[in-house]
Amino acid sequence: MNGLNTLKKHLGEVKEMSRFEAKQICSQINDANDFIGALQVLDLTLKKVSQNIDQRLNSDELDDIQKRTLDANTSTLIQNCSFMGTALFGNIFNVYTGEQFFEFEITNPLLMLENNGYKGILSYIEDKRDEIKTILSQLANIIATGSINNNKPYDTQTTNFKNLFR
């Protein structure tokens, strides 16, 4: 009994500390999962937007009505892109995983149309999709290794992110 009191004196109430740490870790996991989910939804939407713009630019057979339909579909994709009820375009997302901070900012790519044209939008989308792949790779590495100090990224060409949390 005396040994237990001595441990409690030096370590504090271990049960309460463990309970607090578990809640803190669960909170971080939920935030990271939400962050990953939002990035995955954004990546899929960016891919669809890119495909619409590619089709618009590379098809000589489209008339003005078909081009406007593609533009309307692209605009709808961007306006309806949301995760858990939150619009994703025009936002900054961030999360701490352990002690590492991740941040991702995205604007509506159609706002660049007047100054940069469709090719500028495609370039922006490609850059953002690469940024998403890099962040997901780093997060996958942290989750897989349990280490926040190992910054060696996964090969994004071979990593299957869909199976990461199964």
Side-chain angles (χ1 to χ4, degrees):
M1 202 61 156
N2 197 12
L4 181 59
N5 289 334
T6 304
L7 280 175
K8 283 183 180 180
K9 178 181 174 185
H10 291 287
L11 297 177
E13 194 63 39
V14 175
K15 183 177 180 183
E16 294 301 316
M17 286 176 53
S18 296
R19 194 174 307 152
F20 172 76
E21 288 176 11
K23 286 180 185 176
Q24 182 180 8
I25 291 169
C26 289
S27 172
Q28 289 176 353
I29 290 172
N30 288 336
D31 293 343
N33 282 336
D34 292 348
F35 184 73
I36 290 167
L39 290 180
Q40 289 173 333
V41 169
L42 272 168
D43 187 51
L44 181 61
T45 301
L46 288 171
K47 180 180 178 180
K48 290 177 182 179
V49 168
S50 179
Q51 289 170 344
N52 280 354
I53 293 173
D54 275 337
Q55 184 179 357
R56 187 187 200 289
L57 290 177
N58 297 325
S59 181
D60 297 331
E61 300 171 6
L62 295 177
D63 61 22
D64 286 342
I65 294 173
Q66 291 169 319
K67 287 180 179 181
R68 279 184 273 183
T69 301
L70 281 172
D71 291 344
N73 289 342
T74 299
S75 180
T76 301
L77 282 169
I78 291 170
Q79 289 174 359
N80 292 336
C81 181
S82 65
F83 182 77
M84 296 176 60
T86 301
L88 296 180
F89 285 94
N91 281 313
I92 300 172
F93 306 95
N94 54 52
V95 68
Y96 278 97
T97 304
E99 294 178 7
Q100 192 165 353
F101 180 72
F102 292 93
E103 183 174 69
F104 183 79
E105 179 178 1
I106 187 144
T107 62
N108 182 336
L110 295 180
L111 297 176
M112 299 177 202
L113 184 59
E114 187 176 334
N115 293 332
N116 301 316
Y118 286 105
K119 291 188 181 196
I121 292 173
L122 287 175
S123 178
Y124 176 76
I125 289 171
E126 184 180 320
D127 289 346
K128 286 299 173 179
R129 289 193 73 208
D130 287 344
E131 188 177 344
I132 288 170
K133 286 178 188 174
T134 300
I135 291 171
L136 289 175
S137 174
Q138 291 172 346
L139 286 168
N141 188 38
I142 289 169
I143 292 166
T145 63
S147 169
I148 61 171
N149 295 323
N150 184 354
N151 291 327
K152 181 182 172 194
Y154 274 81
D155 180 2
T156 57
Q157 302 301 319
T158 59
T159 302
N160 184 352
F161 293 107
K162 291 179 183 176
N163 295 326
L164 185 63
F165 296 106
R166 291 182 190 217

